[in-house]
Amino acid sequence: MGPSSVVVKDLYARYAVSESWVLKGVNLAVGRGSMLVLMGPSGCGKSTLLYAIAGLLPWVVPGEVKGEIVVEGVDVARSGYRGLAGVVGIVYQNPEMQVVTRSVYEELAMAPENLGLPKEEVMRRVEWVVEALDLERYLNRDPQSLSGGEKQLIAIASVLTMRPRVLLLDEPTSMLDHKGARLVLETVEQLKREHGLTIIAAEHRVEWAVEVADRVAVMSDGAIVMEGSPEEVFSRVEDVERYGVRPPGAAEVAYELRRRGFEVRVPVRLREAFEVFGL
Amino acid sequence: MAEKARSSKALMVLAVVAGLAVAAAVVYDFWRALTVNPENPWAEFTLSKIFFGYRNLMFAVGAVVWVLGTAIFVLELAGRTVTRRGLERNRMGVAEWSVIDVALAALSAAVYGGLLAATAPIVFVPGFTWLRPANALAPLFGMFFGIPGCLGAAIGNLIADIVGGFFGVGSFGGFIGNFLIAYLPYKFVRDHSFSSASSIGEFYVWGVLAQAFVSATYICWWLDVAEALVGLPLFVVWGIIAPIIFSNNIVVNAVLSPVLGRVLFPLIKGRGLYWKDRIKAAQV
Amino acid sequence: MEALSLGGLYVERKTPFHELDPRAKIAWALLVLAASVATQFDGLKALPVFASTLAALSLSGLGAGLALLLIVNASAFLAAVTLVWAGAYSSQGVLLLALGPLRLTDVGLKVAFGKFFLIMNPVLAFAALFASTRPYHLMWALEKLGAPPKVALTFTLALNLLPSTVKAVREVTEAQVARGLALDRGSVVQRLRNYVPIIVPMIAKLLSDVWDLSMVLASRYAGYARRTYVFEPRWSARDTVFTVLSLLLYGGVAAWGLAPWW
């Protein structure tokens, strides 16, 4: 792992309306240009962790945060989300609320316009993201006429116009159908492959996570309880299941075989399963 | 002490009874007017007689309401509020708005305007369909969301005018008029929970009776003054529109707002969006 | 219902009216108002203004039919208003028709039509203005007119969120009706209370949307700095020609309306 892009130390966080800490002593380091997938049952604190890293909690969502968060050298506790302009971009679950204008171009231009960048620079950034994500066909469409997956794609593109170095994805496919989810996940893979962004994604699609993630962190009850490469995490099938995460199908099958006395390696990716099972 | 509490509770009960009685009387009286004179019920409707018959008095009262209402609108958006101690910061002026305030005001406006545009008015008495259930939300937005909610109600009404094809010079009156519908209970009802006698009693005073009169006189004074720009005869302004606004706001808010308020207050508080809690949290 | 209730909402089209600078359109709408005010006592003189608003609706791609729709929608109100005006001038001019208490004179008729156009012309002009001006440009225009940027943003967001909100209201209503909710049955009180199962889910949706929208606005840095407008309208020769022509037309009509000898 290269130098850290995101460092979280002993992080405690809670909302103004919550009675106890939602995050309880989270420690995390994410290398520059790498991808971490956060997994865990709903309510375990994945979104809260992302909001804290993005400086939204407590700066937008009232609450309390204790501990240290440094993103690309910026002390988030001190700067809040305003200090992370051009550093962090975040995409949320609900595609409907992330498209708030009446044209795709306006949507893409909104963030750099709000930053007060010169007109030419805003246009340059929009043109760049349109080319990078092949969005030409959407430019003349009313965002309201787009599918959920397409809206989510536009939301990701809108964030990229701020040229963030860190991209946070808060379950971006949880409200999408299969087709929409594929569109979004392929875009995320492309961003990782071609643009070298540091990505932290809360995502429940485990088969996808093991294919693209450099690291996986499993959260339970406000803490990171497992962390490592996809192989390291998902080869411990029993532990993963105990924390409410479904292991990849290949690992589940291999683990069942081992329980029945077969000596097989536990694969986490589909292609490894083909090797292990001699398919 | 107990004596004081008892008399205060009795006053609150009286306010509720008065609010409901006025609402019932308005419905009954219009039904009576329609029976007596089906061609022109306005000539018989007591509210029309009062508003139009005392037009000069209403005009004078409307002028005071208009000046005070407009000044309050400007002051509150500028972050100042009138108190017994003079002008004080309200901590909710537009300049101090966070993104949550913008989102609250925009969504309140969209929901209010959307409900006004998408729900058909219901039949008051056969042939007359001006009761708009969505109007019940305006005072609640003010009480629950504070100044962003008040502005949301104002913008929502404006948007309903725009999308309904009614936008004109008269819409200015409706804009601030709806702000005041939300503002009066926000400012003067002390307990916004709808779970105590004083909360409900004060709501009937400010959120039902006072706001209905204030909004009717504010809007109609503006239509009267701007007659040359709006084109409405004085009889229509004071004899029809004023009674319509007054009776709609009385009936809808007396019947629907307390029910909605009782259900919605815990939800809003639980989501951390009640304005008093937000101000307290910001101070901490 | 839908076309009618959302008649003034922005409609994406490529028309000459859409291309105009919003300031030119605002000035035009105000000139329509001024000319209608000047001709309010003579419906005949107000006719060219009415015709021009129909032309604007056609030019903006909305179709002059929208005018008919809006007039029909408000027909009871408009009929009451025009009859009152006609009645107020029943003692002046030549009697044309006497029907019970209604005495219609030529002067009363002119005034009634003049007032009808005074009400409808600005309504149609503003409908054309709003339906042909992107909310983005309205926001820009509001800021230029001195509105606080946060208020301009709130107004624009609300306009943009309206179609999805109306859709949600209809979906909730259909779902509740399918479950047996009868909106048109019972006493006045019962009918009002029948709206509780529609309004409560809408507010519940609002409450979750508020946080989503707040975070989206924060992460798009709304209110971070003085905003740039990529599509800042540029006043062009076309806008000048349109404004001059409007001034000539409505100025002429207003002079005609105000001149007692004409």
Side-chain angles (χ1 to χ4, degrees):
Chain A
M1 194 164 74
S4 290
S5 171
V6 178
V7 178
V8 175
K9 279 186 193 160
D10 203 22
L11 181 70
Y12 284 78
R14 68 173 160 206
Y15 300 102
V17 290
S18 48
E19 283 166 13
S20 55
W21 294 106
V22 179
L23 296 182
K24 299 162 186 169
V26 172
N27 288 289
L28 191 67
V30 185
R32 193 162 292 152
S34 71
M35 179 169 179
L36 171 83
V37 174
L38 291 171
M39 309 198 89
S42 78
C44 69
K46 301 185 295 286
S47 299
T48 308
L49 177 57
L50 294 179
Y51 298 161
I53 294 172
L56 297 169
L57 178 70
W59 297 84
V60 174
V61 184
E64 191 181 351
V65 171
K66 281 197 315 192
E68 191 182 317
I69 307 169
V70 178
V71 179
E72 291 288 338
V74 179
D75 180 355
V76 179
R78 198 173 293 171
S79 72
Y81 74 95
R82 286 177 158 260
L84 294 172
V87 178
V88 169
I90 180 165
V91 177
Y92 307 93
Q93 287 181 32
N94 185 355
E96 301 303 325
M97 269 299 129
Q98 291 183 84
V99 178
V100 292
T101 66
R102 292 297 300 274
S103 95
V104 168
Y105 197 106
E106 282 174 27
E107 200 64 41
L108 300 179
M110 186 184 179
E113 280 183 326
N114 283 332
L115 290 174
L117 298 176
K119 203 183 289 187
E120 296 70 29
E121 176 61 17
V122 177
M123 291 164 87
R124 243 195 314 275
R125 289 185 179 205
V126 173
E127 280 160 23
W128 168 78
V129 82
V130 166
E131 201 183 313
L133 299 186
D134 193 20
L135 302 175
E136 189 72 43
R137 62 189 180 282
Y138 298 116
L139 276 188
N140 292 322
R141 300 219 0 225
D142 180 347
Q144 295 303 327
S145 70
L146 301 177
S147 70
E150 289 169 331
K151 280 182 185 165
Q152 203 62 300
L153 177 62
I154 299 304
I156 293 174
S158 312
V159 162
L160 292 180
T161 54
M162 285 181 290
R163 298 271 169 89
R165 282 170 275 165
V166 178
L167 182 62
L168 307 176
L169 303 161
D170 181 17
E171 301 204 38
T173 66
S174 64
M175 293 170 84
L176 304 182
D177 59 14
H178 179 68
K179 199 175 151 198
R182 238 182 66 188
L183 180 66
V184 170
L185 296 178
E186 281 171 8
T187 306
V188 175
E189 285 175 53
Q190 185 197 343
L191 290 173
K192 176 176 184 269
R193 206 172 47 238
E194 295 173 11
H195 301 283
L197 288 172
T198 305
I199 299 174
I200 305 179
E203 178 58 53
H204 62 278
R205 285 165 207 265
V206 66
E207 270 79 13
W208 174 79
V210 296
E211 291 294 337
V212 300
D214 298 302
R215 314 276 296 170
V216 171
V218 175
M219 291 187 73
S220 176
D221 195 23
I224 291 180
V225 287
M226 294 175 78
E227 208 227 324
S229 67
E231 292 84 1
E232 285 165 356
V233 171
F234 289 112
S235 57
R236 292 160 58 193
V237 174
E238 244 174 35
D239 291 339
V240 168
E241 280 181 334
R242 193 172 67 237
Y243 293 123
V245 174
R246 185 182 67 77
E252 256 183 322
V253 171
Y255 188 72
E256 191 56 35
L257 287 171
R258 280 175 73 147
R259 276 209 331 198
R260 290 169 191 242
F262 294 93
E263 270 308 310
V264 288
R265 184 161 62 86
V266 177
V268 295
R269 298 185 180 88
L270 204 56
R271 60 174 183 276
E272 291 161 6
F274 289 152
E275 279 172 30
V276 169
F277 301 130
L279 296 169
Chain B
M1 194 71 177
E3 182 67 23
K4 201 177 165 191
R6 252 200 310 280
S7 71
S8 161
K9 195 167 180 180
L11 266 176
M12 294 306 139
V13 172
L14 190 69
V16 175
V17 170
L20 289 172
V22 172
V26 164
V27 175
Y28 170 76
D29 190 58
F30 194 79
W31 174 81
R32 182 198 58 78
L34 202 63
T35 316
V36 174
N37 189 351
E39 300 291 316
N40 183 14
W42 307 107
E44 291 295 327
F45 192 27
T46 309
L47 272 178
S48 295
K49 286 182 186 169
I50 295 172
F51 276 109
F52 188 58
Y54 296 96
R55 181 252 168 190
N56 288 343
L57 176 66
M58 289 299 160
F59 186 84
V61 173
V64 175
V65 167
W66 201 89
V67 170
L68 287 177
T70 310
I72 283 169
F73 173 79
V74 174
L75 277 173
E76 292 284 352
L77 291 193
R80 292 284 177 274
T81 193
V82 181
T83 69
R84 286 194 190 120
R85 295 178 294 278
L87 275 185
E88 285 186 356
R89 264 184 72 197
N90 67 4
R91 298 179 193 279
M92 280 191 284
V94 174
E96 293 179 73
W97 278 17
S98 68
V99 283
I100 303 175
D101 298 298
V102 172
L104 264 177
L107 281 162
S108 303
V111 168
Y112 191 49
L115 277 164
L116 283 171
T119 54
I122 68 168
V123 177
F124 184 10
V125 285
F128 291 86
T129 56
W130 70 69
L131 286 188
R132 309 227 52 144
N135 287 132
L137 283 175
L140 301 182
F141 282 160
M143 289 163 75
F144 296 162
F145 302 145
I147 296 301
C150 298
L151 191 66
I155 293 178
N157 186 72
L158 195 72
I159 285 177
D161 275 6
I162 291 170
V163 300
F166 305 118
F167 184 85
V169 177
S171 300
F172 177 76
F175 179 69
I176 298 186
N178 272 269
F179 177 89
L180 295 174
I181 293 174
Y183 179 80
L184 287 176
Y186 147 77
K187 178 78 177 170
F188 296 109
V189 177
R190 285 165 297 181
D191 173 2
H192 297 152
S193 68
F194 289 95
S195 59
S196 64
S198 68
S199 172
I200 297 170
E202 285 180 3
F203 177 78
Y204 271 86
V205 173
W206 296 104
V208 176
L209 296 165
Q211 74 58 36
F213 182 75
V214 165
S215 58
T217 47
Y218 187 96
I219 293 169
C220 290
W221 186 85
W222 170 247
L223 293 175
D224 187 328
V225 165
E227 189 238 299
L229 303 178
V230 180
L232 298 178
L234 292 185
F235 172 72
V236 172
V237 170
W238 294 104
I240 300 178
I241 296 177
I244 284 179
I245 296 171
F246 184 84
S247 40
N248 177 70
N249 289 1
I250 282 273
V251 176
V252 171
N253 292 322
V255 173
L256 206 47
S257 299
V259 180
L260 289 171
R262 183 71 193 258
V263 175
L264 294 174
F265 183 75
L267 290 180
I268 285 159
K269 207 168 158 53
R271 300 287 301 208
L273 290 168
Y274 178 45
W275 69 270
K276 284 185 183 174
D277 293 344
R278 289 183 50 230
I279 285 186
K280 224 179 281 171
Q283 282 170 331
V284 170
Chain C
M1 173 72 185
E2 182 142 14
L4 185 64
S5 63
L6 301 180
L9 206 60
Y10 174 69
V11 182
E12 177 76 45
R13 294 268 156 76
K14 283 216 176 312
T15 71
F17 213 72
H18 279 72
E19 304 290 318
L20 288 169
D21 188 300
R23 287 168 292 188
K25 284 187 270 190
I26 291 172
W28 167 78
L30 294 175
L31 284 169
V32 166
L33 173 66
S36 305
V37 169
T39 55
Q40 63 181 296
F41 293 102
D42 191 341
L44 213 62
K45 293 177 179 175
L47 256 179
V49 185
F50 181 62
S52 73
T53 59
L54 297 185
L57 287 174
S58 295
L59 278 174
S60 60
L62 294 170
L66 180 67
L68 186 67
L69 213 57
L70 294 177
I71 290 169
V72 168
N73 188 36
S75 54
F77 175 71
L78 290 169
V81 170
T82 45
L83 282 176
V84 170
W85 278 118
Y89 285 80
S90 60
S91 58
Q92 294 178 37
V94 181
L95 182 69
L96 300 174
L97 180 75
L99 206 66
L102 178 70
R103 283 170 52 85
L104 202 58
T105 64
D106 59 343
V107 173
L109 199 64
K110 276 183 178 178
V111 173
F113 273 108
K115 298 291 185 180
F116 170 82
F117 288 131
L118 174 60
I119 295 167
M120 283 316 295
N121 287 346
V123 162
L124 299 179
F126 283 114
L129 165 71
F130 286 116
S132 67
T133 309
R134 307 189 73 84
Y136 180 94
H137 286 143
L138 282 178
M139 182 166 151
W140 174 85
L142 280 172
E143 280 195 34
K144 285 278 166 203
L145 290 169
K150 284 176 191 167
V151 173
L153 174 65
T154 301
F155 176 73
T156 315
L157 278 173
L159 266 184
N160 286 333
L161 291 168
L162 193 79
S164 58
T165 311
V166 168
K167 194 171 152 232
V169 172
R170 290 191 174 143
E171 283 169 0
V172 170
T173 308
E174 280 166 21
Q176 299 292 24
V177 168
R179 287 178 193 159
L181 180 73
L183 291 171
D184 52 358
R185 254 183 261 153
S187 63
V188 171
V189 171
Q190 189 53 48
R191 283 177 197 212
L192 280 171
R193 282 174 174 250
N194 285 345
Y195 278 85
V196 171
I198 293 170
I199 294 175
V200 170
M202 286 306 299
I203 301 298
K205 181 179 175 319
L206 178 152
L207 296 181
S208 71
D209 286 351
V210 163
W211 291 118
D212 289 351
L213 183 59
S214 304
M215 288 195 286
V216 167
L217 291 175
S219 47
R220 303 269 176 88
Y221 293 95
Y224 182 88
R226 192 184 163 80
R227 185 187 163 131
T228 310
Y229 282 91
V230 168
F231 300 109
E232 191 165 15
R234 288 263 169 84
W235 188 272
S236 67
R238 183 177 38 202
D239 299 303
T240 308
V241 170
F242 175 74
T243 307
V244 169
L245 286 177
S246 299
L247 265 170
L248 289 174
L249 171 67
Y250 299 116
V253 169
W256 185 28
L258 293 173
W261 63 90
W262 206 353

